[in-house]
Structures are given as C-alpha cells and as structure tokens.
Amino acid sequence: VGTDAAWAPVKSPFESNVVINFEVQETIFDFVLSRVQGLGKGNEAGALEHEVVLTECVLNPQASRQAMAELMFETYGCPGLHLGPDATFAYAHNRLVDGGNVKSHGLVVGMGHSATNFVPIVDDVPDFDRALRMNLSGMGMTTQLQRCLEVKYGKSLNGKDHPLSGFNLVEKIKAQICLVALDYREELKKIGRSLGKGTEALGSFECPDATGVLPALDLNTAVERIQIPEIYFQPSIAGIDQMNITDTVEAVCSNGMRG
C-alpha cells in the first residue's frame, strides 16, 4: 500500500476523505490482512478472529459507515467493529491512561493528512453536532512546500524513478526542518539577518536527500521552514480564504457555550 500504489492502475477508495470505492478498499484490506500475522486462520478472507478498530473522517456519511460494516462483517467475518475518528480514539486512550491530566470536558484538534478536525468533548462524549473541519492538512502543507521550492529553484522535484518522488522528498524535508514559530515576524527577521552570514537562525538541520536534488538549498536559512506551518495560523499566506486554527477553536467553543 502507500506511495508504491501510485504505479498501479487503481484509483483511490477516497473522495474528500470519505470511502466511496469499496472494491478498491477491499483490495487494500486483502493486501494488508494477507501480510499481518496472527489475525486468523491462515489470514485468508473470512478468517478474522479479533475485533477491528477502523478510523473514519468526522461526520462520516451513514451510508459509508454501513457499507464499511457490511464489508468487514460479511467478507472478513469480523467478530466486532469499532468505527470513529482517530482524534477521538486518541482522546479516549489518553483519558484512560492519564485521567488525572486529561479532563472530561475539552476540545480535540486532529491535524490529519487530508483535513484538520475540531471535536468538543462533553462529559467524556464527543459532541459531533458542534464539530468543525478545516481544509488545511499535512498533505496540503507538503504540496505547498513542494510548489514553493520548485518555483524558488526553477526545477521539478519529481524524478523518473517514481511519480511521487518529489512529494516523498518534500515530506522528509517538512518532517525534518519545519517548525511552528512562537513569534513569526521575529523569526523572519532572524532568518533575514542570518542570510549571507553563515549563521543558523533556527538551529542546524540537515537533509541529505534534499541536498542531492537541490544542492543550492540552505535548510538553515530557508524561510519555508516557518512559513509553511504558519499557514495554519495565517491561511492567506497560501492564498487560502478561510478561518485560521485559532479562530476555528474560538468558533467551536462559542458554539458550545450557546448550546
């Protein structure tokens, strides 16, 4: 599975983070279950002996949930199925293991690959009626960073060896060097002062894979290090017209107070 599937003539099971192509989803499940030991007798379809936890998007349509349940129960003989957003599963786990610090009321912010979700928790129960979603995500940040680097250095980052090689490279760069600035304007000034002086404004970072493709890239003075994460707080940086993460949190809390 993963990016290797880019070579296969198979379309994604998702559309806007909702599973709609269940034939493709079944193919993925077959691949995964055939390679995980201890799931059942021989790991063949219909041999699951354990309950399964599957994540889904916030406010997943009921039709998609029902189709997923039918697939797991009828095709794989799943004895039990638990569906829910990963952010709320994480809250439930942390509440269980660290109940002293994790309160029964709060707000879960799930910054995922394809969206950012905000789910209020009331008396340990997710309140999905007041949940909100931002169309800012890890994948979007990676795509924006790739676009910035390609424009800045005037070359495509995609290689001939793989159709997603550029995206994978930028994922590594993002994970290794990007950070959220406590004071965005001040950090920009530090980077500006360090240009041409050989100083490291935000610490020393290295990414050998990036150096091979972009020899001129100086990770220690690249403004993109803080500019890309700042999009969550200032979407206008990327030309996106929507509320930022702070305003969205305030909107969820205000909505809950009115309720």
Side-chain angles (χ1 to χ4, degrees), residues 22-40:
F22 283 90
E23 291 183 0
V24 174
Q25 186 65 62
E26 184 176 349
T27 300
I28 294 174
F29 281 153
D30 287 343
F31 179 91
V32 172
L33 296 177
S34 67
R35 286 161 174 77
V36 178
Q37 300 297 320
L39 289 183

Side-chain angles (χ1 to χ4, degrees), residues 63 130 198 205:
R130 293 186 174 94
F205 288 83

Side-chain angles (χ1 to χ4, degrees), residues 5 27 51 76 104-105 125 139 165 169 194 196 223 232:
T27 300
E51 296 185 5
Y76 299 104
S104 60
H105 292 68
V125 178
M139 179 176 63
S165 60
L169 170 63
S194 67
V223 69
Y232 280 105

Side-chain angles (χ1 to χ4, degrees), residues 79-254:
L81 179 63
H82 306 270
L83 284 168
D86 52 359
T88 56
F89 282 148
Y91 165 81
H93 172 76
N94 290 325
R95 175 71 171 152
L96 181 65
V97 301
D98 192 13
N101 293 316
V102 181
K103 307 303 181 182
S104 60
H105 292 68
L107 178 65
V108 178
V109 180
M111 305 175 75
H113 181 68
S114 56
T116 299
N117 298 299
F118 303 77
V119 183
I121 306 294
V122 181
D123 291 328
D124 290 323
V125 178
D127 185 356
F128 291 115
D129 290 336
R130 293 186 174 94
L132 292 179
R133 166 188 172 124
M134 281 178 62
N135 291 321
L136 293 177
S137 63
M139 179 176 63
M141 298 300 105
T142 302
T143 302
Q144 180 67 20
L145 178 56
Q146 180 174 355
R147 185 180 300 119
C148 289
L149 292 177
E150 288 181 340
V151 170
K152 185 175 183 178
Y153 293 97
K155 61 178 295 186
S156 172
L157 299 181
N158 287 321
K160 298 180 180 180
D161 59 327
H162 199 291
L164 292 179
S165 60
F167 185 88
N168 294 339
L169 170 63
V170 177
E171 276 275 305
K172 293 181 180 180
I173 296 175
K174 183 185 73 173
Q176 293 184 28
I177 74 166
C178 286
L179 53 89
V180 175
L182 294 179
D183 188 329
Y184 180 63
R185 293 179 181 273
E186 182 59 30
E187 296 299 343
L188 283 179
K189 292 178 181 178
K190 288 182 180 179
I191 292 177
R193 289 194 295 265
S194 67
L195 288 173
K197 297 180 180 180
T199 59
E200 298 166 353
L202 302 173
S204 178
F205 288 83
E206 295 183 356
C207 184
D209 293 331
T211 304
V213 178
L214 295 173
L217 175 61
D218 184 353
L219 299 177
N220 298 308
T221 59
V223 69
E224 291 81 10
R225 294 178 62 186
I226 59 173
Q227 188 180 66
I228 296 303
E230 187 67 18
I231 293 174
Y232 280 105
F233 304 93
Q234 298 186 59
S236 59
I237 291 177
I240 300 173
D241 183 17
Q242 71 168 60
M243 289 193 301
N244 62 31
I245 192 170
T246 305
D247 292 339
T248 307
V249 168
E250 292 179 353
V252 174
C253 294
S254 299

